[in-house]
Amino acid sequence: MGIELAQVDTIIDKHHADQRALISLLLDIQDQFYFLPQEALERVADKVGVPSVQVYQVARFYKAFSLKPRGKHLLTVCVGTACHVRGGERLVDQLSRVLAVAPGETTDDKLFTLQTVNCLGCCALGPVMVVDGTYYGKMSATKIDKVLSKYRNGEEVADDD
Amino acid sequence: MVNLKINDKEIIVAEGTRLLDAIKMAGTDLPTLCNHPDLEPYGGCRLCSVEVSRNGKSWVTTACNTLVEEGLTVQTESDRAVSTRALMADLILSRTPNVPAVQRIASSLGVDEPRFATTNPEETCVLCGLCIRACHDVAKKEVLGFVERGPDRQVTMAFETYDAQACDDCNQCITYCPTGAITRLKGLPIGRKWYAHAKKWARTRQAVQYGLLAFFALLFVTTSQALQLPINISNLFSRLDPLQAIMANIAARELLPLYLPAMLTLIATILFGRVWCGWVCPLGAILQLFGPVGTRKMQSWFRMIKYGLLIVLFVMALFGSLAFMWLDPITILVRGVADPIGVILGIIEMPGFKVGTLFSMVMLVLVLGLNLIEKRFWCRYLCPLGALLGLGSKFDWIRRRVNEMSCVQCGDCVKTCPMGAINPETIQNDPAECVMCLDCADAPCPKTAITYGRQPTPRWNHEFDPGRREFIGGTATAAAGVVLLNSGLFQDKANDLIRPPGVISEKAFLDKCIRCDQCVQACATHALHPVTFGSTWDAFWTPAINGELGYCDYNCNRCGQVCPAGAIPALPLEAKRKQVMGVAVLAPSLCVNCMVCEKVCQLKAIDRIEIQKEGKLKPLPVVDPNKCNGCGQCEYKCPAPPAIKVYAPGKAPKRT
Amino acid sequence: MTRLNTFAELEQWRTQAAAARAQNEKCVTVCGGTGCRAYGSEKVWEAFRAEIAKQQANVKLNYQVKVTGCHGFCEKGPLVVIRPAQIFYTRVQVKDVPKIVSDTLIGGKVIERLLATDPQTNEHVVHEHDVPFYKHQSRLLLNMNGEIDPTRIEEYVALGGYGAFAKALSNMSGEQVIAQVKASKLRGRGGAGFPTGVKWETCRNQPGEVKYVVCNADEGDPGAYMDRSLIEGNPHRLIEGLAIGAYAIGAQEGYVYIRHEYPLAVKTLELAIKQAEECGLLGKNILGTKFNFTLHVQLGAGAFVCGEETALMASIEGRVGEPMPRPPFPAEKGLWGKPTNINNVKSWSSIPIIISQGADQFAKLGTENSKGTTIFSLVGKINNTGLVEVPMGVTLRHMVYDIGGGISQGKKFKALQTGGPSGGCIPESLLDLPLDYENLNAVGSMMGSGGMIVMDEETCMVNIAKYFLDFTKFESCGKCTACREGVRQMNTILERITQGEGEEGDIELLETMGAAIQDGALCALGRTAPNPVLSTIRYFRDEYTAHIQEQKCPAGVCKSLITFYIIAEKCNGCTLCARNCTEAAITGELHQLHVIDDAKCARCGVCREVCTHDAVGVR
């Protein structure tokens, strides 16, 4: 998979190739490509002057990073305590079953990636699910289909176009 | 200086001393997994947890990364400290239940069985981080690192791929790894150069060993097919055999030049240990092929048997007897196949002989059978040649070396040793037991700690040194044996064996014959066979001509050519034809007057006279004893055996 | 914005800003906190702007629309306050906006429907400060959150912002600042409660020119979000606190380590730093003095352990967040080996208050050993979810019932969890406990960073313990045995118990393990990880016993131990459950009694959720 290294370079330059900014830098790369491509990480190691093993370690340690391409839509389910006591676990279970993926995985059709997050800090809305930055508060297992179909249909419409 | 109290003992140590070291000074040694004096403390394994208190406050901390402080009180055996350490040991053991280094530490902390669930019984990595710190701090490289977190944490390289530019194979990580997990990481060829080197040598050994076995087989075929080789090397393995050489020379009381090549083996042994056993011996090569490896099932005194047998052979040789040389491994192998192959090929069909012939396989079958108990059972416990070379190996120059800085006593090498030579506790080995097969330095050592090189280890004081007991015992047994056997108790009947051509004195023959039976194999007409029962004890498995099965071919002198000891002289064909083995005697009453004997006798030792028989004039053969050399052709070809029969010199019955 | 070069210029600016604020006193403030945004408050303020602009043509409306930080009463968002009348509207939707503009802004009438109600009296409450949720609070740190627009520095300056910093710079030595902080008896609000002044002093006394101050805004405790709200609502106070701290300690550089999961807070903070730099409140020769201070923002990328200070520093350095053994403490050897002082957002934000009001004033609040206020995020099965700031020493019961408005859906209270994954569960019997560091530690929990999760009778305590260990298991960095293996194994045992495979002796084993892990772990994350288990065993042992001995989950949560069934007398055969069952485990004709096939049932609970007649039971 070829990626635009120039884009990576731009991000590196934005952070002045500063080792201290490694995590912010990788977050920016992830925002750009939706995951961390190996070439990009190698480039970062090279230009920032950090051993590539350190870049790789950081990329594997922090939960925000993904080394695998993700699905078109990112489903983030909050499993913070407040959401948990309000049924967040059931929500994740149900999503896992409906999509046939475990948290952290991407569906076969590459449409959805399911992931969990510890707390989004909007506990009043719990259980919360975020799809591509859109919050769905007070979620329940019954609402899953409705939300998912919205994104599934979006996909179909896009195909028809 | 800092004053502190460790387990109620006041001690004074230098400022900046680590608590772990201070505790050691105070006489308590706490086991650790993640600590190494060369490296910064890490505080990962938590095995050195102790309870410390100061100003009335007490807490548990790890001793490795705590510096001594004035007025600190340390309790290594308080309930909290002990239960913390025990839980840590239990947790690590549950993670890696099959790692001996961990088992030992856990056991020292009172944990013999893991209490918790094991995810992967194959797991060996304890995530101590020593490899990574060694890579960063000792080797000054940035190759290894931890990825993931919590239970998914693992050691790897960037992108889980080996980067030859980043890693220069310095192997520091391997040296510091406390379990050997580092070389077992999936997809990362850590230590690859070392292993390639070790593999190359192990493969070389295999090539040499099995090449020589093939060569031995080739020699066997050429010998038994009476094919002439450009040079006479059909008995090469015997002549390289120092046991045969020494015993034959002693017993014969003369220098047998044929055995000079054995000096090579002795020199090789002084240089490299029992390389004969591991690289050359064809019996060893066969025994290497099967059988349970790496065990130590027999008690250690079994290893002394071979020394005992060596001493027996030696003492008997001093007495001038080689009667038990059938214990030599080359003779076992040669004899085990030389004659029995005749049965297998259908050459020997007579039932009575079949049994006797097959009986010469008994040693070989026994040795092979014992191999099912443990690989190289014979070589470990019984082989007198191995004992002899083992004694030489104690003085060898190159031997197996274990880097004690690196070895973690995982015992993986122990499991591959065909000789069971490696002590499972110390991982050291007695050079007398090591056959230098190099298998242990191949893939098994996860720590690349095994090398072969010059080693200033003691000549003696190894695990299986034979002592005075073996020497005295062996001597006494041998002496008693000689006396007993010579007492006549076991003398069955007078010696009337027909020996191969060129043998003049039975005594001189027995003093040299090492019972290898290679002459049997070489005998083109299958006349020679090993003597079994029904003769004297010291003739057991020596060769003799059996007239019913064959005769000494007029145009063959191969037995003398192949005899490694010169017990059968290597004579030119002309000279050989003149050698008297016995004399043919006719029993006229049985003779059918066919005169075949006359026809076949190439020495023209058979004349004919006319006699009146059944009213007809018939010819009767007459043997001229002065011309007859007892080759037995007449006997073999006689259609009415035993009308004419060869007897040993002086053993012919009076003519009736 | 012009650069300020003297103290006088700052005061002059303040006077101007205050005047401008007074002029624009009429405004509609819409909550722009993450919670309200998730409810759609962005659309609400846009609607207000559009509607006001539209009405402006007809009527002269002097109302401005101001987007503020989090007000705290997240349960009722989006929140709108009409100032200066302080009319407090809750759950405002876009469709309500024209009516508010026409009725309230123009007509001066209150729309009752949108008012909050007092759950006790069931009466509508008009003004924000009269709402019971706010009435019982003492908002010291959160006071400006609903008042100011966090994206404008002059709003903060107008209310006295950066005054404390100027005071310290002009009149106080570093020692004097530290003396004030010590006198205030402020304790670290990150959870452990170490006296802040003492920490500063240690750092100041370290040799060396280069020192750092760090703000720990890696608010990883699930259920806690006050740090985020403070940054989103009032970033300048944090900056001011850090600047004062840097001055006192002798640092010239500072870092704010903040979770990337808080994008709005990051944006707000970065903007605030930029503004402060432009005004000369950060940077070189601040306010004409020789003091220099630069502040950087560093993002966390999703690792709870980075809330531990040594791990946090490793993360700032661009490495994996792995804790280091202490000592050496960060005050001796911190970022890049230099003395470093790390405090929580709440601690730093308290500093300007202490300096400007005086230590004595601050120390008047709270208890003997715990001074000042603390913020809790009251969440879970509670009526009034939101941020609550109270003086130290109030009782838990006061928190739950007076401020929180009791348990949602009228269920029974079971436990209160504080301290996140490091804390413990507090049972009803201890609800009268006055809240402070020592008391919470004594009952097996801890202050933590301030999450307070309320649990009702439908919460299984074994499941909760397992939940927290699940959390710590994956958040453990994996460095030390105690945490990596110990927590994992405790979790495995709990998993067994919740699956009905618990064994005799499991509880005791968990207790032994917990004690040894508390002693044996490397960092605070590991040392406190067993707390949720130990505290639930301590107070809810009977639930564990029920799981192990009777294979029963009394709260009806643990899937392996429960069955769903239709309560015959309640079922009206509406088929709702059958239609929603993903496993087709429910059969029944319309108007007929439905039946759940237990073999097919996946125990997802959907049927129970959808049933409008409470006809699905669990046993």
Side-chain angles (χ1 to χ4, degrees):
Chain A
M1 196 177 341
I3 57 154
E4 283 292 331
L5 279 179
Q7 289 176 316
V8 178
D9 288 347
T10 315
I11 294 168
I12 295 171
D13 292 341
K14 186 183 135 199
H15 293 277
H16 312 293
D18 188 351
Q19 183 182 341
R20 285 176 293 185
L22 185 61
I23 291 170
S24 309
L25 201 155
L26 295 183
L27 281 168
D28 281 353
I29 293 176
Q30 167 125 333
D31 280 346
Q32 180 86 48
F33 299 105
Y34 303 106
F35 78 111
L36 296 177
Q38 182 170 340
E39 299 96 310
L41 294 180
E42 280 166 350
R43 188 70 161 197
V44 169
D46 199 33
K47 291 199 105 183
V48 178
V50 176
S52 49
V53 68
Q54 189 184 329
V55 178
Y56 183 66
Q57 278 178 284
V58 167
R60 294 273 305 264
F61 183 83
Y62 295 97
K63 214 174 163 181
F65 300 126
S66 168
L67 288 155
K68 275 184 280 177
R70 298 209 250 212
K72 190 171 163 150
H73 303 291
L74 184 59
L75 306 179
T76 310
V77 183
C78 180
V79 290
T81 323
C83 289
H84 175 80
V85 298
R86 290 183 178 191
E89 197 181 23
R90 250 182 310 179
L91 190 62
V92 178
D93 282 356
Q94 192 67 4
L95 272 168
S96 281
R97 267 149 32 95
V98 171
L99 297 173
V101 288
E105 290 178 357
T106 303
T107 51
D108 287 341
D109 58 8
K110 301 271 178 280
L111 200 53
F112 296 106
T113 297
L114 178 63
Q115 69 169 24
T116 59
V117 64
N118 287 336
C119 182
L120 292 162
C122 36
C123 309
L125 280 72
V128 180
M129 175 166 105
V130 182
V131 186
D132 303 337
T134 311
Y135 285 74
Y136 295 89
K138 306 237 155 115
M139 276 296 290
S140 63
T142 37
K143 291 188 191 161
I144 286 175
D145 268 348
K146 213 191 273 174
V147 175
L148 288 187
S149 63
K150 207 158 129 188
Y151 291 89
R152 283 208 179 106
N153 293 341
E155 177 77 5
E156 278 161 26
V157 172
D159 281 350
D160 291 344
D161 290 345
Chain B
M1 301 305 274
V2 177
N3 298 283
L4 69 163
K5 207 168 172 185
I6 297 172
N7 291 343
D8 301 324
K9 199 188 278 181
E10 303 273 358
I11 84 160
I12 304 171
V13 294
E15 214 163 303
T17 307
R18 298 220 169 91
L19 193 51
L20 188 64
D21 299 324
I23 291 170
K24 197 169 185 177
M25 288 175 212
T28 305
D29 214 351
L30 296 174
T32 60
L33 265 176
C34 74
N35 192 54
H36 194 286
D38 296 355
L39 299 166
E40 285 290 306
Y42 181 69
C45 72
R46 316 306 286 173
L47 284 171
C48 64
S49 292
V50 292
E51 186 170 350
V52 297
S53 55
R54 197 186 41 202
N55 303 336
K57 263 177 71 183
S58 77
W59 65 97
V60 173
T61 186
T62 41
C64 64
N65 52 29
T66 306
L67 296 182
V68 290
E69 275 178 63
E70 187 66 36
L72 206 63
T73 307
V74 183
Q75 283 291 333
T76 63
E77 304 308 314
S78 73
D79 286 351
R80 279 173 83 184
V82 168
S83 70
T84 304
R85 289 202 301 270
L87 180 72
M88 299 309 140
D90 202 343
L91 291 168
I92 301 172
L93 185 64
S94 302
R95 175 186 171 84
T96 56
N98 296 316
V99 173
V102 175
Q103 289 167 344
R104 280 190 291 269
I105 286 179
S107 164
S108 78
L109 293 169
V111 181
D112 292 317
E113 283 296 318
R115 204 167 13 155
F116 305 110
T118 300
T119 320
N120 173 14
E122 308 284 294
E123 184 60 78
T124 50
C125 178
V126 293
L127 300 170
C128 67
L130 279 169
C131 53
I132 296 169
R133 279 176 285 153
C135 181
H136 295 195
D137 301 343
V138 179
K140 307 284 178 208
K141 297 273 164 17
E142 299 273 358
V143 183
L144 292 171
F146 282 121
V147 292
E148 297 293 329
R149 56 193 189 191
D152 300 328
R153 191 177 170 93
Q154 63 189 81
V155 175
T156 186
M157 293 180 183
F159 310 107
E160 284 169 62
T161 35
Y162 181 82
D163 177 3
Q165 282 187 325
C167 175
D168 66 353
D169 297 282
C170 72
N171 290 359
Q172 289 290 359
C173 52
I174 305 178
T175 310
Y176 286 86
C177 177
T179 64
I182 185 73
T183 52
R184 304 280 193 260
L185 294 181
K186 229 182 255 167
L188 296 181
I190 292 174
R192 59 188 186 139
K193 285 192 177 162
W194 193 91
Y195 287 111
H197 181 78
K199 183 151 267 87
K200 194 177 76 192
W201 275 99
R203 294 281 172 276
T204 307
R205 190 269 303 161
Q206 284 174 358
V208 170
Q209 187 182 23
Y210 295 112
L212 286 174
L213 179 63
F215 182 59
F216 176 83
L218 182 75
L219 290 182
F220 183 85
V221 172
T222 55
T223 307
S224 55
Q225 295 304 308
L227 298 174
Q228 201 64 45
L229 294 171
I231 45 168
N232 186 12
I233 50 166
S234 26
N235 50 15
L236 183 68
F237 285 89
S238 279
R239 286 161 65 191
L240 282 167
D241 178 344
L243 181 71
Q244 291 187 12
I246 290 172
M247 299 308 165
N249 275 288
I250 293 174
R253 313 285 198 271
E254 68 178 89
L255 210 61
L256 304 173
L258 274 170
Y259 270 122
L260 268 177
M263 283 300 286
L264 286 177
T265 306
L266 285 177
I267 291 166
T269 305
I270 297 296
L271 290 178
F272 306 115
R274 278 174 77 174
V275 281
W276 162 272
C277 309
W279 292 55
V280 182
C281 178
L283 183 62
I286 294 167
L287 296 182
Q288 182 100 8
L289 287 170
F290 65 100
V293 75
T295 54
R296 275 188 168 188
K297 290 178 189 161
M298 314 311 286
Q299 289 186 325
S300 63
W301 63 264
F302 267 72
R303 303 243 178 208
M304 296 302 125
I305 298 175
K306 59 178 180 288
Y307 292 110
L309 291 178
L310 176 67
I311 288 160
V312 168
L313 290 180
F314 182 74
V315 172
M316 290 193 60
L318 286 178
F319 279 102
S321 170
L322 293 174
F324 293 127
M325 276 309 284
W326 43 262
L327 286 165
D328 175 274
I330 299 294
T331 71
I332 289 176
L333 185 57
V334 176
R335 186 179 53 253
V337 281
D339 210 21
I341 203 134
V343 176
I344 290 155
L345 295 176
I347 296 165
I348 300 165
E349 285 173 337
M350 294 164 75
F353 285 111
K354 256 191 189 168
V355 174
T357 297
L358 288 176
F359 182 71
S360 51
M361 286 175 81
V362 75
M363 277 304 290
L364 182 60
V365 170
L366 190 70
V367 167
L368 293 176
L370 287 172
N371 219 48
L372 294 173
I373 299 173
E374 270 182 307
K375 186 170 269 198
R376 282 183 178 264
F377 187 101
W378 163 259
C379 316
R380 297 175 185 205
Y381 308 116
L382 304 174
C383 181
L385 173 57
L388 175 69
L389 298 176
L391 289 175
S393 300
K394 302 222 183 228
F395 299 87
D396 66 0
W397 180 58
I398 300 285
R399 59 175 64 167
R400 177 176 175 274
R401 249 175 92 122
V402 178
N403 179 354
E404 284 181 57
M405 291 300 291
S406 180
C407 176
V408 292
Q409 280 101 37
C410 72
D412 283 1
C413 56
V414 174
K415 292 179 205 143
T416 61
C417 181
M419 289 293 287
I422 305 168
N423 184 308
E425 305 292 322
T426 65
I427 312 299
Q428 301 292 337
N429 67 296
D430 187 333
E433 301 300 318
C434 170
V435 296
M436 301 297 278
C437 68
L438 313 183
D439 274 359
C440 59
D442 191 10
C445 182
K447 292 298 313 275
T448 65
I450 300 168
T451 48
Y452 287 82
R454 290 172 60 181
Q455 167 95 327
T457 46
R459 304 280 184 241
W460 213 253
N461 286 336
H462 293 295
E463 200 180 352
F464 300 109
D465 292 335
R468 209 184 314 176
R469 211 175 44 162
E470 284 73 34
F471 186 74
I472 294 173
T475 311
T477 316
V482 172
V483 171
L484 194 68
L485 293 168
N486 280 332
S487 66
L489 220 60
F490 296 88
Q491 295 297 76
D492 202 320
K493 60 176 166 181
N495 192 343
D496 54 359
L497 297 167
I498 301 162
R499 291 301 183 181
V503 174
I504 294 157
S505 147
E506 176 74 8
K507 165 92 180 61
F509 175 72
L510 289 179
D511 284 352
K512 283 184 187 168
C513 174
I514 45 88
R515 280 76 169 165
C516 71
D517 287 350
Q518 200 159 10
C519 48
V520 173
Q521 177 198 333
C523 183
T525 52
H526 299 284
L528 282 174
H529 294 279
V531 174
T532 52
F533 304 103
S535 185
T536 58
W537 65 274
D538 55 357
F540 195 63
W541 277 338
T542 56
I545 291 177
N546 189 312
E548 290 173 58
L549 291 173
Y551 58 95
C552 181
D553 189 347
Y554 185 69
N555 291 318
C556 172
N557 61 350
R558 293 195 46 78
C559 52
Q561 306 290 323
V562 299
C563 178
I568 308 168
L571 297 172
L573 212 49
E574 257 333 295
K576 174 246 152 182
R577 286 174 183 152
K578 295 191 178 112
Q579 298 302 317
V580 176
M581 292 164 269
V583 67
V585 177
L586 184 80
S589 55
L590 299 172
C591 183
V592 293
N593 314 88
C594 66
M595 295 314 283
V596 165
C597 47
E598 185 197 17
K599 257 178 254 160
V600 297
C601 182
Q602 277 141 319
L603 290 170
K604 305 280 175 228
I606 298 180
D607 256 342
R608 66 161 75 190
I609 53 170
E610 303 281 318
I611 57 156
Q612 197 71 32
K613 199 174 179 187
E614 291 159 9
K616 280 184 187 165
L617 206 58
K618 296 220 168 136
L620 185 73
V622 175
V623 181
D624 179 352
N626 296 323
K627 280 186 185 169
C628 175
N629 69 354
C631 79
Q633 191 159 199
C634 49
E635 180 182 349
Y636 183 72
K637 301 272 169 73
C638 176
I644 190 162
K645 193 170 163 59
V646 177
Y647 292 88
K651 303 288 176 182
K654 289 255 154 42
R655 198 180 284 223
T656 44
Chain C
M1 249 168 273
T2 48
R3 194 185 148 84
L4 308 168
N5 288 315
T6 59
F7 296 111
E9 281 176 27
L10 175 64
E11 283 315 310
Q12 199 186 343
W13 187 34
R14 189 189 318 288
T15 320
Q16 288 167 6
R21 219 183 119 81
Q23 228 167 29
N24 296 326
E25 135 188 87
K26 287 169 90 175
C27 63
V28 176
T29 55
V30 184
C31 178
T34 300
C36 284
R37 277 177 200 243
Y39 278 125
S41 72
E42 273 167 291
K43 287 193 182 117
V44 171
W45 73 66
E46 268 156 27
F48 266 114
R49 283 195 178 128
E51 188 64 25
I52 289 173
K54 208 171 92 188
Q55 298 295 333
Q56 202 84 2
N58 314 325
V59 202
K60 189 163 167 41
L61 268 175
N62 277 335
Y63 279 94
Q64 283 196 329
V65 178
K66 192 185 281 184
V67 180
T68 68
C70 175
H71 292 228
F73 199 9
C74 308
E75 183 69 34
K76 304 286 186 194
L79 304 173
V80 171
V81 183
I82 316 292
R83 293 176 202 274
Q86 297 261 14
I87 298 163
F88 184 63
Y89 287 143
T90 61
R91 301 228 163 117
V92 177
Q93 300 298 315
V94 173
K95 61 177 166 36
D96 302 325
V97 170
K99 193 163 169 58
I100 296 176
V101 172
S102 62
D103 287 15
T104 312
L105 298 194
I106 300 170
K109 282 182 290 182
V110 172
I111 304 165
E112 293 228 328
R113 179 174 60 82
L114 293 171
L115 292 173
T117 38
D118 184 333
Q120 241 96 77
T121 59
N122 259 342
E123 277 173 26
H124 290 301
V125 187
V126 178
H127 302 298
E128 184 175 18
H129 46 83
D130 292 329
V131 176
F133 178 75
Y134 291 112
K135 206 164 67 185
H136 299 282
Q137 298 192 34
S138 307
R139 295 196 145 204
L140 202 59
L141 293 171
L142 287 169
N143 61 344
M144 293 188 199
N145 262 32
E147 305 264 338
I148 60 169
D149 178 349
T151 60
R152 298 182 46 177
I153 184 169
E154 50 271 40
E155 293 252 314
Y156 179 61
V157 170
L159 296 180
Y162 290 103
F165 182 35
K167 183 179 171 188
L169 271 184
S170 57
N171 295 327
M172 297 166 85
S173 65
E175 282 94 345
Q176 282 172 324
V177 173
I178 292 177
Q180 281 290 304
V181 176
K182 279 172 86 173
S184 76
K185 295 198 177 165
L186 173 68
R187 291 171 68 175
R189 294 289 192 252
F194 191 81
T196 305
V198 178
K199 202 166 169 179
W200 286 21
E201 195 171 42
T202 318
C203 192
R204 180 184 169 86
N205 292 340
Q206 291 297 315
E209 287 297 299
V210 181
K211 286 171 190 174
Y212 297 101
V213 288
V214 174
C215 171
N216 183 350
D218 187 57
E219 192 177 39
D221 280 12
Y225 58 99
M226 65 291 295
D227 289 353
R228 192 203 62 197
S229 291
L230 281 174
I231 296 175
E232 282 175 7
N234 195 357
H236 285 288
R237 185 181 271 158
L238 169 64
I239 296 172
E240 187 180 2
L242 276 158
I244 296 170
Y247 171 70
I249 289 160
Q252 301 202 335
E253 236 179 306
Y255 289 89
V256 180
Y257 185 86
I258 182 167
R259 303 172 79 198
H260 87 291
E261 288 96 329
Y262 290 171
L264 180 64
V266 175
K267 212 174 101 192
T268 313
L269 182 63
E270 279 175 342
L271 178 69
I273 290 174
K274 197 166 150 253
Q275 289 170 348
E277 277 169 353
E278 283 169 3
C279 298
L281 292 164
L282 287 176
K284 285 211 181 306
N285 300 96
I286 295 170
L287 293 174
T289 64
K290 286 184 177 158
F291 178 59
N292 308 323
F293 181 57
T294 23
L295 192 57
H296 310 274
V297 175
Q298 287 281 358
L299 296 192
F304 177 68
V305 69
C306 288
E308 199 279 341
E309 54 185 14
T310 55
L312 184 146
M313 293 190 301
S315 186
I316 290 180
E317 291 175 16
R319 292 186 285 117
V320 161
E322 247 178 53
M324 296 288 288
R326 296 180 307 178
F329 287 93
E332 301 148 24
K333 253 185 156 180
L335 275 176
W336 295 286
K338 306 291 184 210
T340 303
N341 186 79
I342 303 180
N343 279 117
N344 172 268
V345 178
K346 294 179 285 290
S347 310
W348 287 118
S349 293
S350 300
I351 300 298
I353 300 169
I354 292 168
I355 297 298
S356 60
Q357 298 182 351
D360 303 339
Q361 191 68 27
F362 184 85
K364 275 184 192 159
L365 282 167
T367 63
E368 176 61 29
N369 290 317
S370 305
K371 297 294 185 190
T373 59
T374 182
I375 308 178
F376 276 102
S377 55
L378 197 55
V379 298
K381 303 279 186 79
I382 184 108
N383 275 323
N384 297 338
T385 299
L387 290 183
V388 176
E389 185 171 3
V390 287
M392 295 279 187
V394 302
T395 65
L396 296 169
R397 190 179 297 281
H398 180 65
M399 300 275 297
V400 174
Y401 289 99
D402 298 337
I403 299 174
I407 311 302
S408 52
Q409 293 166 3
K411 296 266 163 61
K412 213 171 142 266
F413 174 90
K414 189 186 241 178
L416 195 61
Q417 210 276 348
T418 66
S422 309
C425 295
I426 301 164
E428 174 144 40
S429 58
L430 292 170
L431 272 186
D432 290 313
L433 194 76
L435 197 92
D436 68 11
Y437 292 98
E438 278 71 24
N439 280 342
L440 285 179
N441 283 345
V443 299
S445 183
M446 66 185 286
M447 190 74 99
S449 63
M452 184 176 277
I453 296 117
V454 179
M455 298 166 188
D456 67 5
E457 54 192 322
E458 286 182 0
T459 312
C460 168
M461 299 318 279
V462 186
N463 175 279
I464 277 294
K466 183 175 83 82
Y467 163 78
F468 278 115
L469 284 202
D470 248 336
F471 178 90
T472 1
K473 179 172 98 174
F474 289 112
E475 290 302 335
S476 158
C477 75
K479 180 172 177 175
C480 84
T481 307
C483 181
R484 181 190 63 235
E485 304 293 334
V487 170
R488 178 168 72 96
Q489 297 292 4
M490 282 180 87
N491 188 48
T492 313
I493 295 170
L494 285 173
E495 213 147 78
R496 257 192 10 235
I497 295 177
T498 56
Q499 285 166 1
E501 289 158 16
E503 290 160 15
E504 209 58 47
D506 274 350
I507 300 177
E508 290 73 20
L509 179 58
L510 285 171
E511 284 174 325
T512 323
M513 290 175 80
I517 292 168
Q518 283 178 329
D519 274 344
L522 172 74
C523 76
L525 171 77
R527 285 187 180 237
T528 55
N531 288 357
V533 183
L534 295 181
S535 71
T536 47
I537 293 180
R538 186 162 155 192
Y539 300 117
F540 303 95
R541 202 184 184 98
D542 51 337
E543 282 200 35
Y544 280 84
T545 323
H547 280 76
I548 295 172
Q549 289 177 354
E550 298 156 39
Q551 272 85 48
K552 283 230 157 66
C553 176
V557 173
C558 298
K559 279 188 180 178
S560 310
L561 306 179
I562 53 169
T563 43
F564 286 91
Y565 67 102
I566 309 267
I567 303 164
E569 45 281 19
K570 287 187 182 172
C571 178
N572 67 349
C574 71
T575 73
L576 196 57
C577 55
R579 277 184 280 136
N580 277 291
C581 181
T582 50
E583 305 300 306
I586 307 179
T587 46
E589 297 295 313
L590 189 65
H591 306 312
Q592 302 289 315
L593 176 64
H594 284 51
V595 179
I596 299 178
D597 179 354
D598 193 51
K600 284 187 186 167
C601 177
R603 287 150 179 82
C604 67
V606 168
C607 49
R608 197 159 189 240
E609 215 170 79
V610 297
C611 182
T612 48
H613 290 79
D614 276 339
V616 181
V618 189
R619 62 183 159 213

